[in-house]
Amino acid sequence: MQNFNNQSFEDLIRNAQPQQIAMFDKEDNFKGYRQAPASTLTVDLNSPFVSQAEIATMSDSARSMMTRAHTAANTQALMGSKPNQTTWKHMIVSAGTLARAGMSIDTSGNFEGFPFFMGFDDAIGTIWLGEGATIPENSAPTTKFPYEIHSLGAFTMVSRRFQKMVPSFFPQLKIAQANAIRDAVEKAFIQGNSTTNPAQPDGLVRQVTKYALTGASKSGLIIIGESLEVLEGNGLDREEVSIIMSPDVAKKFRLETGAPAHKALSIKEDRILVSRFMPAGTMVSGRYSDFQAVTNPSIAFLAHTYTPAGQPETGATRVRSIFEADAVVLNQDSFVKTTSIA
C-alpha cells in the first residue's frame, strides 16, 4: 500500500488511484479486486485559499468571485484569518448571509460545547432585601450544548482532458467546492429539517419556536414594528437586531410606499438581509450572535481516479470533500419568526 504526503490540490489529483484495482495471479488469472486508499488532503480553514501563482491563472470572473467573498466576509470581524489574504474561512464560513447578520460561528471543531445559562439575563434571580433579610436561593438552569456532528459531503468529477486544457483548473475546483459547501451549510442552517432528512441539522426557522408571528395582510412597517416590539420587550437593543427575509418578502417591502415616521426607532438598512434559502413568506428577526454554529477547523478532501461508463478514453478523477457542522439557537428570547407574509 502506497501512502502520499499531499501538500496541494495538484498532489491530491496526481496521486489518485482507482478505487478498485484488479488483481491477477502469476498466470494472469483474474483474482478479484482490492480497495485502494484514497488520495487525501486536509485543508485548514485559516490557510490561504489560492496561491499567488494560481491567482495569475484565474479568469476575471473567477478572480472577481473570490474577491466578492473576501469583501463580504470582512464586513464582520474575522478571528484567525489574515485580513489581506483570502482563506477557506472567508469562502465557506464568513461570506454567507448568516455570518453577515452576526451569527456566531466557532470553527474550533469543539462539538462537545460549553455549559451556559438558559435565557442568559433572566436566569439570575434578583430581589430587594429588607432589613435583616437573607438572599433567597435561586437555581439557574444550565445545560450543555446539544451539538451533533452532521457531515456534509461534496463531490466533483473532473476528466483528465479538462485538467490539461484549463490552466486555472485547480483554483476553479477549489472555488466550486467552497461555494457548494457554503451554500449547503447555509441552506441547512436556515431551513434544515431533521424530520425530513435526519442527516442534516435543524435550521433557524425550525428552531425558533417561542415567538412566531403572522404577517398576513400586513405592511412591511407593521411586520418589522411588531418584531421589534417583541425583541425590545425581551431586553434587546435594536442596534443588536438583524433581519433575514426571503426574496418575495423583500420584493413586497420594496414595492410598498411610505417610511417610518421616527427612523431613529427603526432598524438600520444594512441590518436587513435577503437569503434565497429563507422559505417563501418568511423572515426571522433577532440577535444573530445567539445563533451559534460549530464547524470543523478543516476540510478533508479525498480523490480516486474514475472512468465513467462509455468514456474509457478520458477517465476522470472523483474529488470528494467532508465538512462537519451544527448550529443551535442559544436563547429563544433573541428571535422572532414571522411567516405567511404576502
Side-chain angles (χ1 to χ4, degrees):
M1 183 181 296
Q2 192 171 11
N3 293 316
F4 298 98
N5 185 21
N6 295 327
Q7 300 295 320
S8 66
F9 268 75
E10 189 171 359
D11 292 342
L12 177 75
I13 301 297
R14 182 190 301 115
N15 293 326
Q17 303 178 64
Q19 188 166 359
Q20 289 187 327
I21 299 177
M23 297 185 298
F24 300 87
D25 60 20
K26 294 180 180 180
E27 286 74 35
D28 289 333
N29 296 311
F30 176 67
K31 292 296 182 180
Y33 292 94
R34 67 176 176 87
Q35 295 293 117
S39 175
T40 62
L41 175 68
T42 299
V43 178
D44 188 277
L45 290 181
N46 290 316
S47 63
F49 186 69
V50 293
S51 65
Q52 290 299 318
E54 288 176 324
I55 291 176
T57 69
M58 293 170 64
S59 64
D60 289 342
S61 60
R63 192 179 298 113
S64 176
M65 183 181 299
M66 191 180 72
T67 301
R68 285 198 303 272
H70 181 91
T71 303
N74 279 332
T75 59
Q76 296 290 328
L78 284 177
M79 296 184 64
S81 291
K82 298 179 180 179
N84 297 318
Q85 186 178 64
T86 302
T87 65
W88 284 90
K89 185 174 181 179
H90 282 93
M91 296 294 292
I92 292 178
V93 177
S94 304
T97 304
L98 286 168
R100 288 184 282 130
M103 181 182 185
S104 299
I105 304 176
D106 175 8
T107 58
S108 69
N110 181 20
F111 287 91
E112 291 297 318
F114 303 95
F116 69 95
F117 286 112
M118 292 293 291
F120 292 92
D121 298 340
D122 61 0
I124 307 300
T126 57
I127 187 171
W128 290 102
L129 301 174
E131 183 67 24
T134 59
I135 300 175
E137 292 183 1
N138 178 67
S139 179
T142 62
T143 187
K144 196 170 187 177
F145 287 175
Y147 285 129
E148 297 180 6
I149 297 179
H150 296 274
S151 299
L152 172 69
F155 60 89
T156 308
M157 195 79 75
V158 185
S159 70
R160 289 195 297 269
R161 182 178 299 173
F162 182 82
Q163 296 173 41
K164 293 182 180 297
M165 292 179 62
V166 182
S168 61
F169 160 69
F170 290 108
Q172 285 195 31
L173 171 62
K174 288 188 277 190
I175 289 174
Q177 285 272 340
N179 287 345
I181 293 171
R182 183 190 63 236
D183 287 350
V185 171
E186 181 106 338
K187 183 177 181 179
F189 281 177
I190 291 177
Q191 60 168 263
N193 187 333
S194 62
T195 300
T196 57
N197 183 357
Q200 69 177 350
D202 282 323
L204 179 68
V205 174
R206 182 170 169 82
Q207 289 192 44
V208 174
T209 56
K210 186 173 181 179
Y211 297 101
L213 306 178
T214 178
S217 303
K218 297 177 182 177
S219 69
L221 289 178
I222 291 175
I223 292 170
I224 292 178
E226 289 180 343
S227 296
L228 288 176
E229 179 185 20
V230 172
L231 295 171
E232 289 173 331
N234 290 340
L236 273 69
D237 189 287
R238 65 180 179 83
E239 296 290 339
E240 302 175 276
V241 176
S242 295
I243 297 175
I244 299 181
M245 59 182 62
S246 60
D248 64 308
V249 172
K251 176 184 177 182
K252 168 184 166 61
F253 286 13
R254 290 189 187 108
L255 296 178
E256 291 177 352
T257 58
H262 301 282
K263 291 186 178 181
L265 295 176
S266 189
I267 189 170
K268 293 182 179 180
E269 292 181 358
D270 62 355
R271 305 305 295 172
I272 301 177
L273 304 170
V274 181
S275 173
R276 62 193 173 105
F277 301 126
M278 186 65 70
T282 303
M283 80 176 203
V284 178
S285 312
R287 180 168 58 197
Y288 275 78
S289 59
D290 286 348
F291 187 35
Q292 174 79 52
V294 171
T295 76
N296 263 6
S298 59
I299 309 171
F301 290 91
L302 306 91
H304 277 108
T305 58
Y306 174 77
T307 301
Q311 299 183 42
E313 76 286 354
T314 62
T317 301
R318 179 195 284 124
V319 180
R320 293 169 289 175
S321 60
I322 301 174
F323 188 62
E324 296 172 338
D326 195 19
V328 174
V329 169
L330 305 186
N331 189 357
Q332 287 287 332
D333 289 346
S334 295
F335 293 95
V336 176
K337 175 173 62 181
T338 307
T339 59
S340 303
I341 302 173

